[in-house]
């Protein structure tokens, strides 16, 4: 990292350990995308198509994370993505990436709180979704403003509940698939035959491309490891371990979970108004299983919202720390919390209130698509930044041995990751329900570039990369 530290950087406390970092990332990932969007993907692509889409998504996540690993170990900074993009691509790109990632989590916060409202309606169908959104807005905000250590410890236990639930779901669902647990009506479970009941790809290959952003949205949150790098003890040791552990667990959890869902839920019964997990446990003859899984899904979604507010607040702090926002956003209180940045980021909760009043199910898909587009654009920048970083590192006469962590298979890793992310964005154009992400996302990117050039006409050139490592 550069030897010249910004004083504001030292105000963050390095209180996160490897268990916090792994669970923070898992907490950000295991949430709305997996618990609700998977139903939408099954209904669009079919069971076999969903499995294929998630396998491609797992490959993309691995490619992006190993690129991020090399960058974040060399430069462990809070809110790191836009710093890398500014240093290795262009200052305007860095500025845009920061705002895109803020948009990712702020909009995801809205969709998460809407999904939490759906969960509560399972028990209280008479109470409007927006009331639950308001209650959860207040709870998530309080969790984030108490202290970073309190947030990290709380997120660790929230995420642990989710991990245990996913394992239990795979075990119980697998037992139902193979006939060890009967269905509620006494009939045998659909099992493996359900995966191809409508054909391998009932709607063709195109729906897989159309839903790749939804799949990537489900995996979004793994990159939180990079966001938290500046608040991590011994980042050169902790970050590579956290990345390996997180990616391995995600692939096992996601592919195992989707396999069970695809085998037990008919394509024509899948959707987003009710979580596919609840659908499965309603069918399985286990007493109170649907209520228990609905409660766990609720805590899981709130945990993801908790991580989202953390990420969006840190990104605003980072923008201010780089002097692209007023310095007030860079201030942290005596507990190490960027209070103003978190408060402004809570606007995502207001989005949830609006969406849940207008049309919860329709707007939920739109919010998820916008958030997915933004995170895929950030992943594009991570791959591109890593490609340039490694080239520049070698051009300066430095050896690969100087890098504490190296992404394997360079340059294939960043190039393939970039192309797959780009392909996912193209897929949005073919899906009418998600196309709004392009209509909102592309103008947002152009607006960010324009805003940067208007406000930084005489700004000095960014710090050169030869300060690093």
């Amino acid at each position: 990292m550069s030897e010249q530290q910004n004083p504001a950087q030292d105000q963050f406390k390095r209180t996160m350990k490897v268990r916090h970092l792994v669970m923070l990332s898992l907490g950000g990932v295991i949430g709305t995308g997996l618990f609700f969007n998977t139903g939408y993907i099954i209904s669009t692509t079919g069971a076999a198509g969903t499995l294929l889409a998630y396998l491609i998504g797992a490959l993309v996540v691995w490619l992006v994370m190993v690129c991020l690993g090399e960058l974040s170990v060399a430069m462990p900074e809070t809110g790191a993505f836009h710093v890398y993009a500014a240093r290795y691509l262009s200052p305007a790109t860095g500025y845009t990436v920061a705002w895109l990632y803020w948009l990712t989590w702020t909009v995801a916060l809205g969709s998460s709180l809407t999904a939490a409202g759906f969960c509560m309606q399972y028990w209280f169908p008479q109470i409007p979704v927006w009331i639950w959104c308001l209650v959860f807005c207040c709870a998530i905000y309080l969790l984030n403003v108490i202290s970073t250590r309190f947030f990290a410890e709380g997120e660790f236990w929230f995420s642990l509940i989710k991990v245990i639930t996913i394992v239990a779901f795979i075990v119980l669902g697998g037992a139902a698939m193979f006939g060890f647990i009967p269905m509620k009506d006494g009939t045998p479970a659909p099992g493996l035959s359900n995966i191809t009941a409508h054909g391998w790809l009932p709607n063709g290959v195109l729906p897989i491309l159309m839903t790749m952003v939804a799949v990537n949205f489900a995996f979004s949150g793994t990159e939180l490891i990079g966001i938290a790098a500046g608040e991590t003890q011994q980042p050169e040791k902790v970050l590579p371990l956290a990345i390996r552990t997180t990616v391995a667990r995600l692939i096992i959890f996601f592919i195992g979970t989707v396999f069970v869902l695809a085998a037990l839920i008919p394509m024509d019964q899948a959707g987003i108004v009710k979580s596919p997990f609840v659908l499965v446990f309603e069918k399985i003859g286990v007493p109170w299983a649907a209520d228990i899984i609905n409660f766990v899904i609720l805590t899981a979604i709130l945990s993801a919202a908790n991580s989202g507010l953390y990420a969006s607040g840190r990104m605003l702090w980072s923008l201010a720390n780089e002097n692209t926002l007023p310095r007030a956003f860079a201030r942290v209180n005596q507990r190490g919390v960027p209070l103003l940045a978190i408060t402004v980021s809570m606007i995502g909760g207001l989005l949830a209130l609006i969406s849940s009043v207008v049309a919860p199910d329709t707007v939920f898909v739109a919010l998820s698509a916008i958030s997915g587009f933004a995170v895929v654009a950030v992943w594009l920048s991570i791959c591109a930044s890593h490609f340039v970083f490694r080239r520049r590192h070698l051009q300066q006469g430095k050896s690969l041995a100087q890098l504490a962590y190296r992404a394997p298979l360079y340059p294939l890793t960043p190039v393939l990751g970039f192309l797959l992310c780009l392909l996912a964005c193209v897929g949005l154009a073919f899906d009418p329900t998600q196309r709004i992400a392009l209509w909102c996302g592309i103008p947002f990117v152009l607006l960010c570039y324009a805003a940067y050039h208007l406000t930084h006409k005489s700004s000095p050139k960014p710090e050169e990369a030869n300060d690093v490592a």
Side-chain angles (χ1 to χ4, degrees):
M1 192 166 64
S2 168
E3 301 210 1
Q4 293 182 343
Q5 291 277 358
N6 191 311
Q9 179 75 30
D10 294 330
Q11 294 177 20
F12 275 115
K13 305 180 187 302
R14 291 187 179 270
T15 56
M16 291 202 188
K17 301 176 182 178
V18 65
R19 67 184 181 91
H20 292 140
L21 206 58
V22 171
M23 285 301 184
L24 171 63
S25 184
L26 287 174
V29 180
I30 302 174
T32 312
L34 179 62
F35 286 127
F36 276 88
N37 277 40
T38 305
Y40 163 75
I41 297 167
I42 292 173
S43 68
T44 304
T45 67
T50 301
L51 276 169
L52 180 57
Y54 269 95
L55 284 169
I56 297 171
L59 173 62
V60 174
V61 166
W62 180 78
L63 292 168
V64 172
M65 287 303 294
V66 293
C67 291
L68 177 61
E70 185 170 316
L71 289 167
S72 57
V73 169
M75 298 163 283
E77 301 182 38
T78 296
F81 311 136
H82 80 97
V83 177
Y84 307 148
R87 196 169 286 167
Y88 298 107
L89 302 177
S90 75
T93 302
Y95 178 83
T96 302
V97 164
W99 278 112
L100 276 169
Y101 201 66
W102 179 82
L103 179 71
T104 294
W105 281 107
T106 304
V107 175
L109 182 59
S111 62
S112 293
L113 293 173
T114 303
F118 286 149
C119 286
M120 293 304 295
Q121 278 206 317
Y122 180 77
W123 294 305
F124 306 101
Q126 315 89 344
I127 301 178
V129 173
W130 71 266
I131 292 180
W132 297 116
C133 290
L134 186 60
V135 171
F136 295 137
C137 269
C138 298
I140 294 299
Y141 180 77
L142 289 174
L143 274 176
N144 270 266
V145 300
I146 294 176
S147 75
T148 300
R149 180 60 185 269
F150 182 83
F151 161 82
E153 199 65 39
E155 191 59 32
F156 173 81
W157 292 106
F158 273 142
S159 298
L160 186 61
I161 292 171
K162 286 193 278 192
V163 169
I164 293 170
T165 303
I166 292 292
V167 173
F169 176 81
I170 293 172
V171 171
L172 290 174
M177 281 170 54
F178 295 105
F180 296 108
I181 296 178
M183 303 304 281
K184 202 168 189 177
D185 58 4
T187 61
L192 298 177
S193 61
N194 189 60
I195 295 178
T196 56
H198 296 273
W200 284 99
L201 297 173
N203 297 320
V205 177
L206 184 59
I208 296 176
L209 178 63
M210 288 162 46
T211 56
M212 279 314 302
V213 162
V215 170
N216 290 332
F217 172 70
F219 277 112
S220 66
T222 45
E223 70 290 328
L224 279 169
I225 289 174
I227 285 284
E231 298 174 71
T232 304
Q233 299 172 0
Q234 296 182 301
E236 70 285 352
K237 294 180 181 178
V238 168
L239 290 172
L241 176 60
I243 287 170
R244 286 195 300 271
T245 305
T246 301
V247 172
R249 288 178 184 178
L250 280 178
I251 291 172
I252 294 169
F253 292 160
F254 271 57
I255 301 305
T257 300
V258 171
F259 183 73
V260 171
L261 289 173
L264 294 180
I265 299 179
M267 181 179 174
D268 54 1
Q269 292 182 22
I272 62 159
V273 174
K274 185 182 289 186
S275 169
F277 285 72
V278 175
L279 277 175
V280 166
F281 277 108
E282 281 182 341
K283 293 174 179 292
I284 295 176
V286 178
W288 305 104
D291 291 279
I292 294 169
I293 198 71
N294 194 60
F295 173 76
V296 174
I297 289 171
L298 175 64
T299 62
I301 289 168
L302 293 178
S303 167
N306 197 29
S307 298
L309 186 57
Y310 170 89
S312 54
R314 262 52 178 188
M315 195 54 71
L316 284 188
W317 174 89
S318 190
L319 277 166
N321 193 48
E322 298 290 316
N323 299 313
T324 55
L325 276 182
R327 292 295 301 173
F329 285 95
R331 294 197 191 110
V332 298
N333 61 21
Q334 66 272 22
R335 297 186 299 275
V337 175
L339 189 59
L340 179 60
I342 285 176
T343 303
V344 171
S345 295
M346 198 66 221
I347 192 174
L350 299 178
L351 280 174
L353 295 181
I354 296 168
S355 71
S356 58
V357 170
V358 178
D361 51 347
T362 305
V363 181
F364 173 80
V365 174
L367 287 176
S368 299
I370 293 169
S371 182
F373 169 84
V375 80
V376 170
V378 171
W379 288 1
L380 280 167
S381 78
I382 291 171
C383 294
S385 298
H386 172 245
F387 180 81
V388 177
F389 165 76
R390 176 76 75 89
R391 287 187 64 190
R392 196 172 295 178
H393 181 85
L394 296 175
Q395 286 170 356
Q396 291 168 355
K398 298 176 182 177
S399 69
L400 291 179
Q402 289 178 268
L403 296 173
Y405 176 80
R406 296 188 296 278
L409 304 177
Y410 179 91
L412 177 63
T413 304
V415 171
L416 184 58
F418 185 92
L419 291 176
L420 288 175
C421 288
L422 191 62
L423 192 62
C425 292
V426 172
L428 286 173
F430 297 96
D431 187 352
T433 59
Q434 296 190 95
R435 201 174 292 149
I436 188 175
L438 294 178
W439 300 131
C440 295
I442 293 174
F444 183 83
V445 169
L446 296 175
L447 180 65
C448 288
Y449 272 98
Y452 179 84
H453 288 296
L454 287 173
T455 56
H456 293 74
K457 289 180 179 177
S458 59
S459 61
K461 290 185 178 181
E463 179 184 3
E464 288 298 327
N466 57 15
D467 289 334
V468 180

